[in-house]
Amino acid sequence: MSEALLKTMTQTAPARPEPLLRPGNTNCGGCGMSIGLQMLSRAVGEQPVQLVVPACCGAVAVGPFPFTAFGAPVVMSTFASAAAVATGLANVARLNGEQTRVICWAGDGGTYDIGMATLSGAAERNEDILYICYDNEIYGNTGGQRSSATPVGASTTSTVSGKTEQKKDILAIMAAHRIPYAASISLAHPEDAQRKMRRALETRGFRFLHILAPCPTGWKSEPAQGIELVRLAVRSGLFPVCEIEDGRRLTINVEPDFCAADLERYLALQGRFRKSDMGAGGMRAAIDEHWRELRMREASAL
Ligand SMILES: Cc1ncc(C[n+]2csc(CCOP(=O)(O)OP(=O)(O)O)c2C)c(N)n1
Ligand code: SF4
């Protein structure tokens, strides 16, 4: 890594004249997506950015034309096309010699499910885009239906007694595209989050960030407990915090303690896990298996 890049990454970004998400937006209290946008705002600093937001709660926050709660230019795209729209914007900025960085801000439905084709295409072409998925593990904007990011055991409006399928491993899918940078972000670890966001903004080519975003409305949890929930998800091993360079070099950034009580508390604090008889015990094997894979990949990193 060059000295200049290292210096930029460790500097505190100057305050943005106005936040990416302004006060007065319509997001629910305690929304993890709002916290993620505030962290992104800090990482962006004064750099010129353009956002692409597909249909999702983030698109509602944009507001009706000519008003907007976003403190940067935003294109609201169709559900499936965020990465394709961002490709166009990034190429126009490059051809005009602009410094603008283009950022997709998308939910899990728009990322794991309906946007996967354009996302995969843009990643394979290594377009100069930062794609951020805030993962609230449901289709929040339309009433909380399951997505392929919904964890096993969680009730949604379309899996009333608890989902039976495992959550997709989105980071592994994106790393398999051999993109320059992919990382998972914990809102409970703000320094690690800032470092990753700044690195992703600096890097050229396709970058992917995955944020676990508590959603009090869909998770049936207390708005004030979002950060605690993320902390428990990280500590229990449910949400690994790691980064992958060039699809090969995997580094685990936060070591969990795999404490059973943390996983039990994570489930107990959310109404969405009450109807399933899966429980913490029923989830352990899949978590352990995922960690065996992560350790193997970390050990075999070139
Ligand atoms: C092709 C298409 N199908 C369905 C919809 C309706 N729709 C709008 S937002 C949304 C859910 C988005 O879920 P997600 O991407 O997870 O973001 P969240 O709402 O949770 O923030 C759906 C189904 C749509 N806009 N376009
Ligand atoms: S439904 Fe969930 S993700 Fe959407 S604004 Fe409310 S808390 Fe945020």
Side-chain angles (χ1 to χ4, degrees):
M1 187 186 301
S2 77
E3 223 175 272
L5 178 57
L6 190 66
K7 202 172 157 204
T8 318
M9 282 166 52
T10 48
Q11 270 171 351
T12 309
R16 223 186 137 66
E18 56 180 341
L20 279 186
L21 182 65
R22 296 181 180 128
N25 66 78
T26 54
N27 292 348
C28 314
C31 172
M33 191 244 303
S34 300
I35 301 170
L37 273 171
Q38 281 152 4
M39 286 188 174
L40 178 64
S41 191
R42 200 169 147 227
V44 164
E46 289 177 340
Q47 291 175 74
V49 293
Q50 289 173 349
L51 296 174
V52 180
V53 183
C56 61
C57 285
V60 179
V62 174
F65 182 82
F67 306 105
T68 175
F70 277 73
V74 180
V75 175
M76 240 191 86
S77 78
T78 61
F79 206 1
S81 69
V85 171
T87 295
L89 293 178
N91 279 298
V92 168
R94 179 178 54 80
L95 291 170
N96 286 340
E98 293 166 12
Q99 298 305 311
T100 310
R101 308 300 276 146
V102 179
I103 305 171
C104 287
W105 182 259
D108 47 291
T111 303
Y112 286 62
D113 297 341
I114 194 164
M116 179 50 84
T118 53
L119 170 59
S120 174
E124 187 268 334
R125 296 190 305 273
N126 198 24
E127 302 288 354
D128 189 22
I129 299 169
L130 168 55
Y131 190 107
I132 306 180
C133 172
Y134 68 89
D135 180 5
N136 61 8
E137 304 188 315
I138 41 162
Y139 286 31
N141 183 40
T142 43
Q145 296 82 8
R146 94 192 271 283
S147 77
S148 56
T150 303
V152 69
S155 294
T156 68
T157 50
S158 53
T159 56
V160 177
S161 20
K163 192 183 166 205
T164 48
E165 300 81 17
Q166 294 287 341
K167 183 182 176 88
K168 259 189 207 172
D169 186 350
I170 193 72
L171 213 56
I173 292 169
M174 296 316 298
H177 290 74
R178 306 275 186 266
I179 53 174
Y181 190 64
S184 51
I185 285 190
S186 155
L187 298 178
H189 296 78
E191 283 174 15
D192 183 68
Q194 280 300 304
R195 180 184 65 78
K196 286 172 173 167
M197 285 175 171
R198 289 214 281 271
R199 177 169 180 175
L201 283 160
E202 287 288 331
T203 304
R204 296 280 151 175
F206 199 94
R207 296 88 70 203
F208 181 85
L209 297 177
H210 178 217
I211 303 177
L212 180 64
C215 168
T217 310
W219 294 15
K220 314 284 179 247
S221 55
E222 283 300 319
Q225 283 181 331
I227 299 298
E228 174 66 0
L229 286 172
V230 175
R231 194 175 291 119
L232 292 167
V234 173
R235 278 217 302 247
S236 64
L238 191 62
F239 184 72
V241 180
C242 57
E243 59 196 332
I244 309 172
E245 293 162 280
D246 299 322
R248 288 193 309 274
R249 288 182 302 280
L250 183 145
T251 309
I252 290 159
N253 308 114
V254 182
E255 200 55 45
D257 57 17
F258 300 105
C259 173
D262 286 335
L263 186 54
E264 278 157 21
R265 187 164 156 73
Y266 178 77
L267 301 181
L269 287 175
Q270 301 171 67
R272 65 176 173 154
F273 291 108
R274 298 235 166 100
K275 289 201 181 127
S276 163
D277 50 15
M278 179 83 56
M283 292 173 135
R284 200 68 259 173
I287 294 174
D288 292 346
E289 177 60 27
H290 190 188
W291 274 91
R292 265 193 296 278
E293 283 167 18
L294 288 173
R295 302 271 189 225
M296 266 164 36
R297 292 180 59 195
E298 189 180 40
S300 66
L302 300 175

